[in-house]
Structure formats: C-alpha cells, structure tokens
Amino acid sequence: MLKVNDIDVYYGHIQVLKGISLEVNEGEIVTLIGANGAGKSTLLKTLSGLLKPKKGSIEYLGSNIDGKAAQSIVKAGISHVPEGRRVFANMSAEENLQLGAYLRKDHDGIKKDMEHVYELFPRLFERRKQQSGTLSGGEQQMLAMGRALMAKPKLLLMDEPSMGLAPLMVKNIFNIIEMVNKEGATVLLVEQNANMALSVAHRAYVLETGKIVLSGTAKELQERDEVKAAYLGGL
Ligand code: ATP
C-alpha cells in the first residue's frame, strides 16, 4: 500500500531522515519506534505532504505522492493524527469531527461515519457540544482520532497516541486502534511506548537518528535483546 524508498528529509541544512525505506501492506498495523528526536514525527509529516523529501520516493497505492499537496494526500485516503492531538480548542467536539470530513461531499456517508465515531467513542457523543480545549487529554486524543476517521482514511498515520495519557486510557486508545484496523483501515503508528505499540502491531521498524536500524515482525522485535534493553525497559 505504501512504499517509502530511500528518502532524505532536511530542516534547512540539517538532515533529519537519512535514506529511510519502509513498506506498509494493506490491512497491517505497522509501528515505528524510536527515542526522542529520532525523526518519527518528521517521517509522518513527510508522508502526509507537510514536508518534502530532498531525495527518494513515496509510493501509495501505485502512485508517487512525494511532493503532492497535503490536501490531495488526504483526498487519496491518508489521514494524520498529529502528535499532541492539535484539536481546534475553541470549537466544539462535533465541529472538530465535521472538519475532518471537509473534503467530502457525500452527506449521507458523513452522517453515517459521524454515528460510527460516536459508537467507537461514546464519551465524544456525551461531550459533543463541549469546547474541545476543555476536554481531557484522553478525550482530545479520541477526538483527534475521530476527526481523522471522518476523512474515511484507507491509511491512518498516528503520532504518539499514548503521550501524556494514564495507562487505562492508553489501553482504551490502543483497543480502538485495533478495532479500526479490523474494520479495514491500515495503520502506521509512531510510538515511544514500544511495549504497547509492539503488542498491537503486526510489523515494526526501529528508527535511530534518522535511520532504520532494525525491522521485523512485532514478535521478533519484542524478543531481540537490543530492543528489550533500549525500548522495553531492560532485559
Ligand atoms: P519526539 O518523539 O520527541 O517527537 P521524533 O522521533 O518524532 O521525536 P522529530 O520530531 O521527527 O523526532 O525530530 C527529529 C529531529 O528534527 C530533532 O532533532 C528535532 O529537533 C528536529 N526538528 C523537528 N522539527 C524541526 C523544525 N521544524 N525545524 C528544525 N528542526 C526540527
């Protein structure tokens, strides 16, 4: 579904991604783990058209998307749930969800998807009129996910959904990631919480200072000593 081929990405003169190649197959949950500053968010921003690679290519469903505008990438079915949620604080939860569908014109489909988001996140239904900036961190994460789902994505890019959330809420969010995947969305999940990410993912890549240093099935990586030592809290 997605084929990233040897991309280099810079901020000004500083190179942050160095020859990254990876693949995501339809139906998978693939996770990208790595320490602070490894370049995980930069990779997702590049996939969603917010940054342009200086070298390499990004193929999605058989077409090149590197260099395309973010809007046309959303239209092609890629939705990004950004780090730190980034909900529109002064708008209600429901207005945020409606914004997620702003490129769609199928009003019946939008209505159906809104109902489905409320089924996945009953809490959002209860809070639909509330100003989003006053929602809890977990509720904002649900809202950011719900907003992304309103674009009817084929591929969902998720940036650190666990950040700043209590363990029970993290579990809840990861259950929903699995549910959304079972319903048909392919997921590329960036996480520092490697334990949780590897427990839901089919395959994984480890990113260190802009390079992929390891890849394999999630199970294989969970058993690698260097992954245990660096990312899973010791041997
Ligand atoms: P974190 O989990 O801390 O968000 P990350 O793996 O997602 O880490 P990135 O946010 O992709 O890492 O950052 C990779 C590197 O790029 C870091 O060294 C960071 O300081 C740098 N960087 C990120 N955004 C910018 C920017 N807008 N301008 C300049 N440098 C940036």
Side-chain angles (χ1 to χ4, degrees), residues 3 43 60 92 95 102 111 137 156 193 197-198 210:
K3 201 165 179 199
L43 178 64
Y60 166 71
S92 70
E95 286 165 340
Y102 85 110
K111 193 163 166 263
L156 196 57
N193 186 337
L198 290 173

Side-chain angles (χ1 to χ4, degrees), residues 32-38 40 160 191-194 205-208 231:
L32 184 68
I33 58 178
N36 268 321
K40 306 181 298 299
E160 300 225 17
E191 259 300 340
Q192 279 195 51
N193 186 337
Y205 293 88
V206 179
L207 190 65
E208 273 175 18
Y231 302 104

Side-chain angles (χ1 to χ4, degrees), residues 11 16 35-43 45 83 159-160 192:
Y11 290 109
V16 174
N36 268 321
K40 306 181 298 299
S41 302
T42 301
L43 178 64
K45 286 178 189 161
E83 186 173 14
D159 198 346
E160 300 225 17
Q192 279 195 51

